[in-house]
Amino acid sequence: MKRNLVLLLATAVSAGGFSLLAQLDDAAPFPKEFRTWAHVKSVLVGPQSAAFATEGGIHHIYANDKALEGYETGKFPDGSVIVYDLLETKEVAGNTVEGPTRRIDVMVKQGELYRATAGWGFMSFPSGNPAEGRLTAERQAACAACHAKRDDHDSVFSEFRK
Ligand code: HEC
């Protein structure tokens, strides 16, 4: 009887532990389905670009349905998610094609939660690894500081090409 109680307690504690982990993970949710979202634009960043060291390759920007509303109105509602998918390029038979993922940057709009960074949570997944997206507050502030150049467009640089 006593043993069962201990087991029960142990189960309760580990279940609590899991839900805490889930909450922490929620701080950097990897948007698994983004490749099926709306494609906003792509840019090929070549060696002549000032941004080549960090942005060289091809990037595609994707928006979920909520973010599409934002591209329409200039004000992105809570739940908007935008993905910057950066890939290496390679030359194959005269064609420039996508190589391995360099990095996946994500912006998630939650006005209250991310008040310090204009309502956006910033995440960055090196090599697209879903387990490594969380950024320190300092790094998020650096993302937000540059994105603030577009505070006329709710901190979003890209425009949706019709
Ligand atoms: C020095 C300026 C600068 C910094 C710092 C910066 N970005 Fe950006 N970001 C840009 C620009 C410019 C674009 C638009 C690229 C395009 O239009 O193709 C962009 C695009 C994006 C997008 C697509 C949505 C949009 O605004 O068009 C996401 C998501 C993103 N960045 C995330 C991040 C994250 C996460 C960080 C920090 C780790 C970060 N950015 C840091 C300049 C910056």
Side-chain angles (χ1 to χ4, degrees), residues 40-43 45 55 59-62 71 81-85 103-108 120-125 135 139-147 149-150 153-159:
V40 178
K41 65 178 287 194
S42 297
V43 178
V45 176
E55 314 303 316
H59 65 252
H60 309 294
I61 296 178
Y62 297 93
Y71 279 105
V81 183
I82 312 177
V83 173
Y84 174 98
D85 183 23
R103 193 177 79 233
I104 294 176
D105 287 345
V106 179
M107 291 167 65
V108 176
W120 289 99
F122 291 86
M123 292 130 214
S124 188
F125 301 84
L135 297 175
R139 285 205 57 201
Q140 292 203 44
C143 310
C146 185
H147 276 256
K149 290 178 193 160
R150 287 305 314 268
H153 192 235
D154 209 352
S155 294
V156 175
F157 280 100
S158 49
E159 311 265 350

Side-chain angles (χ1 to χ4, degrees), residues 3-63:
R3 191 163 165 268
N4 278 347
L5 188 67
V6 169
L7 263 180
L8 199 73
L9 274 174
T11 312
V13 167
S14 69
F18 279 128
S19 71
L20 185 67
L21 267 182
Q23 278 168 24
L24 286 176
D25 280 351
D26 284 344
F30 184 74
K32 282 197 240 25
E33 309 293 327
F34 78 84
R35 294 266 298 120
T36 64
W37 297 354
H39 172 239
V40 178
K41 65 178 287 194
S42 297
V43 178
L44 187 60
V45 176
Q48 309 299 324
S49 166
F52 183 69
T54 57
E55 314 303 316
I58 187 161
H59 65 252
H60 309 294
I61 296 178
Y62 297 93

